[in-house]
Amino acid sequence: PLGTLAGGDSSAAIATRLSYPTLVARFRLSSRLLEFGLPKYSGTPVVDDAGEEDVKLRMPAGQPPVHPTEFRLEVQRGDSSSDDGTEGSAPIALRLWRYARRDARGAATPPTVQSGTWCGCPVRRVRSVLLVHAFDMSGYSFTFKSTAQNFAEYLYTEGWEVWILDTRFSVRAQTGELPSTLDQTAMIDVPQAVDHMLSVLRGEVGDGAPLQVFAFGQCLGAAVLQMALAGGGLSHPVEAQTGHRS
């Protein structure tokens, strides 16, 4: 409870106590805690068509921009808990963007590979990272140009090879209106994107120990990555060496 210190008086103590409700009211008004209205939309749609300016990475002064290689992946739609039986079974097209490392002449080069172990088995860790966007967004989350440097540009300048996946939740996809679940994205989209990454990388770095890549997810992108990991969709089969999957 509030109390007065030496030299205080009852009038000052009462005034202090009475000021607290006013302080709380001011905080609520300034933080808009009492505002429950709907968002005020501009009414102007934002077109995200993955144009050349949208997908390129800006480099420091004196260096040319980095343009990605686009891969189109056809994956199964899978089942959704909200299906009513009228959904089609046609495959879904996903877009996977690769920002390969470049040498001094501008030619694409394989990413850095480092030896390591995982669950007691030898692996090759590739300095490639997969970025997965949030719900109702797209790969533009990582390549937008409204800041001096976006996340993909930062990773690239730090020596990473960057891959960006537009999942079935992407606003760039034609599947945004189809019923979908996180399970479909986690067990279909992400594993097949990683499988494609590994296939491309194996063709460049050669055969050997299993390859490992890195991943970063934003919001629901992080959720589907965790679900894919927990579901075994991102594991190498190593039962013969360790008796379990890694």
Side-chain angles (χ1 to χ4, degrees):
L2 294 174
T4 58
L5 300 176
D9 57 75
S10 298
S11 299
I14 293 174
T16 301
R17 290 171 183 260
L18 293 177
S19 68
Y20 273 92
T22 306
L23 179 64
V24 172
R26 288 176 57 191
F27 170 75
R28 289 188 173 182
L29 291 173
S30 63
S31 62
R32 309 179 79 172
L33 287 177
L34 301 180
E35 183 174 314
F36 298 104
L38 294 174
K40 297 179 175 62
Y41 297 106
S42 66
T44 304
V46 177
V47 178
D48 183 1
D49 58 359
E52 182 177 345
E53 288 298 311
D54 294 337
V55 300
K56 76 175 184 181
L57 300 186
R58 303 162 297 178
M59 291 292 102
Q63 300 181 34
V66 178
H67 296 277
T69 299
E70 179 184 356
F71 300 95
R72 297 281 181 135
L73 308 181
E74 281 198 353
V75 304
Q76 295 302 311
R77 177 184 173 273
D79 297 324
S80 168
S81 58
S82 57
D83 288 351
D84 59 10
T86 62
E87 294 75 20
S89 58
I92 291 176
L94 306 180
R95 303 172 83 173
L96 180 64
W97 312 84
R98 183 195 188 186
Y99 297 85
R101 304 301 306 172
R102 305 282 174 177
D103 60 19
R105 297 173 299 173
T109 60
T112 303
V113 180
Q114 183 180 18
S115 297
T117 59
W118 182 260
C119 292
C121 297
V123 294
R124 293 177 293 166
R125 295 194 176 100
V126 186
R127 198 169 171 81
S128 298
V129 58
L130 174 67
L131 306 182
V132 184
H133 60 81
F135 175 74
D136 202 29
M137 301 183 75
S138 72
Y140 190 58
S141 306
F142 305 112
T143 64
F144 62 85
K145 306 301 188 295
S146 57
T147 59
Q149 185 181 56
N150 56 52
F151 189 50
E153 291 166 345
Y154 168 76
L155 291 172
Y156 195 89
T157 57
E158 289 294 310
W160 291 88
E161 175 185 82
V162 178
W163 296 68
I164 297 177
L165 173 64
D166 275 305
T167 70
R168 68 184 65 203
F169 289 142
S170 173
V171 295
R172 291 173 175 170
Q174 303 299 315
T175 56
E177 296 182 359
L178 294 177
S180 299
T181 65
L182 293 184
D183 290 321
Q184 290 170 305
T185 307
M187 303 312 296
I188 300 175
D189 298 5
V190 172
Q192 293 203 30
V194 172
D195 285 347
H196 187 83
M197 286 179 63
L198 295 178
S199 176
V200 171
L201 292 171
R202 276 194 296 268
E204 296 178 353
V205 302
D207 295 329
L211 299 178
Q212 283 189 333
V213 295
F214 298 78
F216 174 89
Q218 175 194 10
C219 193
L220 289 184
V224 296
L225 283 173
Q226 292 287 351
M227 292 166 66
L229 282 169
L234 304 181
S235 301
H236 286 296
V238 293
E239 296 94 331
Q241 301 181 56
T242 65
H244 60 274
R245 293 177 68 88
S246 67

